[in-house]
Amino acid sequence: MKKKYDKISVRKYLEKYVRDQKPWYNIHCREEYIQVTIPPYPVNEEVDTDEKMSERQVEQVIREIKEYMGTFGVGTEFDHALYGDNIKIKFNVK
């Protein structure tokens, strides 16, 4: 599937598919990687800390993106997450 994924039309379709499923995910499919930017969830101070909530949110996004890409036969591997105003998650494409 990597050869098929290299085509820009396929990457654009994958971006549209994920955005249709999760409109708040800002996803960009590049030849070598996939980057997802998401806004952080509001934190309920009584229940959770900001760090725990962000970690759980990243874990959820990793599962969902792997599932979406698995549907199309694209192998992804989690690379890293950057925390800030928004959370940026990078996946390498195999």
Side-chain angles (χ1 to χ4, degrees), residues 7-71:
K7 294 180 182 177
I8 195 162
S9 60
V10 172
R11 293 195 310 266
K12 292 294 180 190
Y13 180 78
L14 289 172
E15 288 178 3
K16 183 180 178 337
Y17 177 79
V18 172
R19 285 185 186 130
D20 287 347
Q21 303 298 314
K22 302 285 185 174
W24 56 93
Y25 286 11
N26 188 2
I27 183 169
H28 300 285
C29 296
R30 304 290 186 243
E31 285 186 37
E32 299 299 320
Y33 66 91
I34 296 170
Q35 181 175 322
V36 181
T37 306
I38 53 172
Y41 288 142
V43 176
N44 182 347
E45 304 266 334
E46 299 170 4
V47 178
D48 250 336
T49 63
D50 188 31
E51 293 81 24
K52 281 187 179 178
M53 193 66 167
S54 293
E55 287 175 17
R56 284 207 319 257
Q57 189 177 8
V58 168
E59 290 172 8
Q60 178 183 355
V61 170
I62 291 169
R63 278 193 312 272
E64 290 174 350
I65 294 298
K66 284 187 178 236
E67 183 179 312
Y68 294 146
M69 295 302 134
T71 301

